[in-house]
Amino acid sequence: MAFSMMQLFLLGALGPRLVDELDVSPTLLGLTTTVGFGAAAVLSPVGGRVVDRVGPRRCLVALLLVSAVALALIGSAPGAGLLLAAVALGGLPQALANPATNKAILATVPPERRGSVTGMKQSGVQLGAFAAGLPLTALAGVAGWRGAVWTAAGAAVVAAGWAARTLPRDVPRVGGSTPGARSSLVPRGAIAWLAAFSLLLGCGIASVNTYLALYGTQRLGLGPTAAGALVAVLGVAGVAGRVGWSKVAGQPTRAVWLPGGLAAGAVGAALLLAGASFAHPLAWVAAVAVGVFAVAANAVSMVLVMQRATPGRAGQDSALVSAGFFAGFAVGPPLFGLLAESGRYGTGWLLVAGEFAGAGAVAVWWAVRDRGGVKP
């Protein structure tokens, strides 16, 4: 999970160096997020079908090798063209990550432990952000940004070798098969509700991830280091939230209500960010709340996917929900950016609160229908 998004984390962490050396504009640098997540959203449904057919072990090895290639290309990029192409290639590992890891958990982890294991697995995304933001950024100060990116590529190759040696052999169509269901790329039932929830959730989370540090420097009077610490606080809280709430979601009767509750907490976090313009310390509370509620909600949705997936297509169902989340990441920041460019951060955080509220409404509506015995 960490390597699946490493290229985007590194582009953010090393952005100032890339802007200077490759003559890349800040706007174009921001476009890399849209290109990366847009490619992942498009590729996810097909990636899920591939995982169901060939197995999680092969797909995880392929994911890590493609990540290595994408990182190597970024490290070799002479300009914006190859940089964007490498980021687009990096959409494939993102598309495979949740389907392959979820399928591996279903194949190897007892049902009573799947919730907590999924939370730890999902926290790998924050681990990747930490690696890009601290040790690899420090390495870039010594070996240059290209050396840091190539080091990450080499680590991905090592991880691919570990996965090939450690993971159990693939069994065709683990968990059974439903021939008629495998052919559909349209989310149905609970998966459709979770995809819609993830779309709105992704819009809000991506906007916070992209603009929280900038908000800190431009509106809250924080220095670059303190603004970066604000993002780090969010990341640490996200790890704790994903592990903790995913363990709770391991109990199906509670899991169905969790997305709505976490979305409500995320609304409060967005409102705290808006209020931080008047009371700056609120930004730190808000960063913790975004991690504990909004970031954790994505991990809970993956637990629900594994509980509700149609037999034989856990990979594809995971991919369809992930596609919604990635689409939100592609759409959310550009919308917020229009407001940020005119200095309307307060309105931007209200937009984020509205996106989280929409996600919560979808989740509660589905939970009520599900509890009432209506097929969701």
Side-chain angles (χ1 to χ4, degrees):
M1 292 299 290
F3 279 110
S4 70
M5 291 178 56
M6 182 65 73
Q7 71 276 6
L8 292 176
F9 292 138
L10 277 172
L11 287 174
L14 302 176
R17 291 179 170 87
L18 270 68
V19 168
D20 292 339
E21 184 171 329
L22 299 184
D23 195 26
V24 174
S25 70
T27 300
L28 186 60
L29 186 65
L31 184 62
T32 58
T33 299
T34 299
V35 169
F37 284 108
V42 171
L43 293 171
S44 282
V46 176
R49 295 183 70 182
V50 170
V51 172
D52 282 333
R53 290 183 178 181
V54 307
R57 178 174 174 269
R58 294 186 184 95
C59 288
L60 284 169
V61 172
L63 178 163
L64 291 162
L65 291 176
V66 173
S67 294
V69 172
L71 288 165
L73 289 174
I74 291 172
S76 305
L82 185 57
L83 188 67
L84 289 175
V87 170
L89 176 63
L92 180 57
Q94 289 176 254
L96 292 174
N98 274 315
T101 52
N102 286 354
K103 192 96 172 179
I105 289 173
L106 285 172
T108 60
V109 178
E112 65 273 13
R113 294 189 58 233
R114 287 174 185 166
S116 59
V117 171
T118 300
M120 288 186 284
K121 182 264 291 189
Q122 292 295 123
S123 69
V125 176
Q126 274 67 46
L127 177 63
F130 173 81
L134 190 59
L136 289 173
T137 299
L139 179 62
V142 178
W145 72 267
R146 294 184 190 273
V149 175
W150 286 330
T151 298
V157 173
V158 173
W162 170 84
R165 290 175 57 88
T166 304
L167 293 176
R169 287 175 174 264
D170 290 318
V171 177
R173 296 172 187 168
V174 172
S177 63
T178 305
R182 287 199 314 272
S183 61
S184 175
L185 292 178
V186 179
R188 301 180 186 279
I191 303 305
W193 290 95
L194 288 169
F197 170 78
S198 296
L199 171 66
L200 292 164
L201 185 72
C203 285
I205 292 175
S207 297
V208 177
N209 287 348
T210 304
Y211 290 100
L212 179 59
L214 198 61
Y215 176 58
T217 56
Q218 292 188 348
R219 287 290 178 271
L220 306 184
L222 299 178
T225 301
L230 198 61
V231 177
V233 165
L234 188 158
V236 172
V239 171
R242 285 186 165 189
V243 172
W245 288 117
S246 293
K247 186 174 182 179
V248 175
Q251 304 175 40
T253 55
R254 293 184 180 181
V256 69
W257 294 104
L258 270 181
L262 294 176
V267 171
L271 295 177
L272 285 174
L273 283 172
S277 294
F278 308 99
H280 295 180
L282 288 178
W284 298 94
V285 180
V288 172
V290 170
V292 168
F293 296 112
V295 174
N298 174 244
V300 169
S301 72
M302 286 295 111
V303 176
L304 280 163
V305 168
M306 287 188 282
Q307 291 173 351
R308 300 304 183 98
T310 302
R313 52 174 283 166
Q316 186 172 338
D317 286 347
S318 298
L320 292 172
V321 174
S322 295
F325 192 62
F326 294 147
F329 263 67
V331 171
L335 294 177
F336 193 104
L338 295 174
L339 298 171
E341 284 186 9
S342 58
R344 298 163 62 191
Y345 278 100
T347 304
W349 298 130
L350 292 178
L351 172 63
V352 170
E355 291 162 347
F356 288 149
V362 169
V364 171
W365 189 6
W366 169 63
V368 170
R369 285 167 60 91
D370 188 73
R371 187 184 68 167
V374 179
K375 186 178 180 179

